Amino acid sequence: METLILRFERMGRKGKPVTVVAGFTRSARELEEFASRFKKTFATGGTIRGQSIELQGDHRIRLRPYLAEMGFTVKG
């Protein structure tokens, strides 16, 4: 079971809100699948940066139970 860090950022993004899910230890392919699933579920855009997924907007409240349902432990 992976422990993921969920945080909200605005810095360096021209003031636009971004939800960052960090701490993945999966392969790049699995990370792409997770990002695609998150973007479809939450109807938002996003990208992969290193080993983290960035979603446009503040999705922390809805994302936390979704990640727990997938078997992840969530901090932050």
Side-chain angles (χ1 to χ4, degrees):
M1 180 182 321
E2 289 177 74
T3 300
L4 302 177
I5 299 168
L6 190 61
R7 67 181 185 265
F8 178 72
E9 295 182 358
R10 285 182 187 258
M11 190 172 63
R13 294 173 178 86
K14 298 181 183 178
K16 295 185 180 185
V18 174
T19 303
V20 179
V21 185
F24 286 101
T25 57
R26 306 288 178 110
S27 69
R29 183 170 182 249
E30 287 178 304
L31 207 55
E32 287 176 17
E33 290 174 8
F34 283 136
S36 178
R37 187 182 310 169
F38 295 161
K39 290 189 295 185
K40 286 178 186 174
T41 301
F42 299 109
T44 190
T47 190
I48 298 171
R49 299 259 169 129
Q51 288 294 346
S52 63
I53 297 173
E54 296 180 359
L55 299 173
Q56 296 173 354
D58 186 359
H59 300 283
R60 291 174 294 178
I61 294 172
R62 297 185 318 167
L63 193 55
R64 183 178 305 279
Y66 186 76
L67 290 169
E69 187 177 293
M70 292 176 67
F72 293 104
T73 302
V74 181
K75 288 184 176 180

